[in-house]
Amino acid sequence: MLVYFDESYNDRYMLYGALFNPHSKQLHAKLTEIKDKHKYYKHDGTYKELKYTTTTTPKSLAVAKDATNAFVQSTSWFRAIVIDLQGFNYDGFGKFNEPLAIKQARAYKKFAELLIKGNTKYIQNGVLLCDGLTHCKGDLFIEKMKELFCPSPFKDIREVDSHLHEVQLMQINDILLGSILNELAASTHKQKSELKNHIKKVLKIPSLDIKYWDSMKRGKADELHPKYQVWIFKPGIAHKK
């Protein structure tokens, strides 16, 4: 089992997303096939990276739509968690005299724990791959995650570069996660909005907004949207876990 973990954010919201892949080789091969079909290459002949932020042309939109369809048809599933930064602070994640970076690393570990733990109860010898992290403070976050999840359910946790072909499934995680941010703060780019609407259509999700997910009980979400779910982080509840 390969699990890809990534972050996305703006001034108001911080989001973390994870793509769980029981059969990663099949989905990887399909994404390669899609890029070949659309000739999604750089000038040197290598594959372009599929990203939400660069879905701004008809070709990149076509690749992103086909990649979403491949995800829907695969055995993979996606989970995201949204944190509203308005009024949020890190005081509950450490002593008052500890560096902010340490508190943030603990907070991000908590977000990741909430996101990942419920989806790995039957996983053994898995690998967790994290995209190049900025808010998660790189090494600090990886260290905290290893304390929590190694050696079980993950035998390895490491940071990777999503542009590399061998970890290109991170790119599907990126477009799924970025489209949630589009719903929270609508983009002016036509292609980004069209991608978001396509994701909602093929996954039969009426909204990616936090109000939709916040109003839904966990069991109902599992019933209606087994492949794709968004959870809302509530500090008062999460700190009790």
Side-chain angles (χ1 to χ4, degrees):
M1 166 75 82
L2 285 182
V3 181
Y4 291 90
F5 180 86
D6 198 4
E7 63 183 3
S8 184
Y9 52 85
N10 62 13
D11 292 337
R12 173 70 184 273
Y13 297 102
M14 186 163 14
L15 292 76
Y16 297 96
L19 185 68
F20 299 83
N21 305 278
H23 304 95
S24 58
K25 290 183 179 179
Q26 289 90 325
L27 186 55
H28 183 279
K30 185 62 179 178
L31 183 53
T32 298
E33 179 184 315
I34 290 167
K35 289 184 177 181
D36 285 333
K37 169 188 170 183
H38 293 283
K39 302 188 185 305
Y40 204 60
Y41 310 128
K42 294 188 288 188
H43 292 303
D44 62 3
T46 59
Y47 293 107
K48 284 186 178 180
E49 182 179 7
L50 175 63
K51 289 184 70 68
Y52 166 76
T53 55
T54 56
T55 305
T56 55
T57 66
K59 178 181 281 192
S60 61
L61 175 60
V63 174
K65 283 184 174 182
D66 281 355
T68 302
N69 296 343
F71 160 70
V72 172
Q73 295 162 9
S74 74
T75 58
S76 302
W77 68 91
F78 172 84
R79 298 291 184 266
I81 189 165
V82 175
I83 303 96
D84 189 342
L85 295 175
Q86 191 170 49
F88 183 86
N89 65 67
Y90 297 92
D91 292 343
F93 294 94
K95 298 177 182 179
F96 74 93
N97 60 343
E98 285 186 306
L100 178 60
I102 297 295
K103 295 179 183 178
Q104 288 176 327
R106 288 198 190 100
Y108 303 145
K109 185 193 77 168
K110 170 57 72 173
F111 304 150
E113 179 184 3
L114 294 172
L115 184 63
I116 293 171
K117 198 169 185 179
N119 289 279
T120 55
K121 59 181 66 176
Y122 302 114
I123 296 174
Q124 294 181 343
N125 296 317
V127 176
L128 177 63
L129 302 175
C130 306
D131 195 9
L133 304 169
T134 53
H135 275 61
C136 284
K137 306 299 180 187
D139 292 341
L140 276 174
F141 175 76
I142 298 296
E143 179 183 331
K144 293 296 181 185
M145 291 296 287
K146 285 183 176 179
E147 290 175 6
L148 184 64
F149 290 118
C150 286
S152 179
F154 297 118
K155 62 182 179 181
D156 188 23
I157 298 175
R158 64 182 185 269
E159 197 169 355
V160 297
D161 292 325
S162 61
H163 74 277
L164 296 175
H165 177 67
E166 56 266 31
V167 293
Q168 68 172 342
L169 292 189
M170 183 73 78
Q171 299 166 26
I172 294 180
N173 193 39
D174 184 275
I175 63 173
L176 295 175
L177 187 61
S179 292
I180 301 171
L181 199 60
N182 185 296
E183 187 92 325
L184 298 174
S187 171
T188 57
H189 287 283
K190 176 183 176 182
Q191 285 82 10
K192 289 181 181 179
S193 295
E194 191 171 337
L195 172 59
K196 173 192 68 179
N197 292 332
H198 179 77
I199 288 172
K200 290 193 290 187
K201 180 180 178 181
V202 296
L203 286 166
K204 299 179 182 178
I205 299 172
S207 176
L208 303 181
D209 189 83
I210 58 177
K211 292 180 181 178
Y212 173 72
W213 298 103
D214 200 26
S215 65
M216 190 181 304
K217 293 182 179 180
R218 175 70 183 277
K220 193 66 175 177
D222 290 340
E223 176 187 341
L224 293 177
H225 308 301
K227 286 190 71 74
Y228 184 111
Q229 292 177 26
V230 180
W231 302 339
I232 315 303
F233 177 75
K234 296 182 178 180
I237 297 175
H239 286 180
K240 296 177 183 178
K241 294 187 177 182

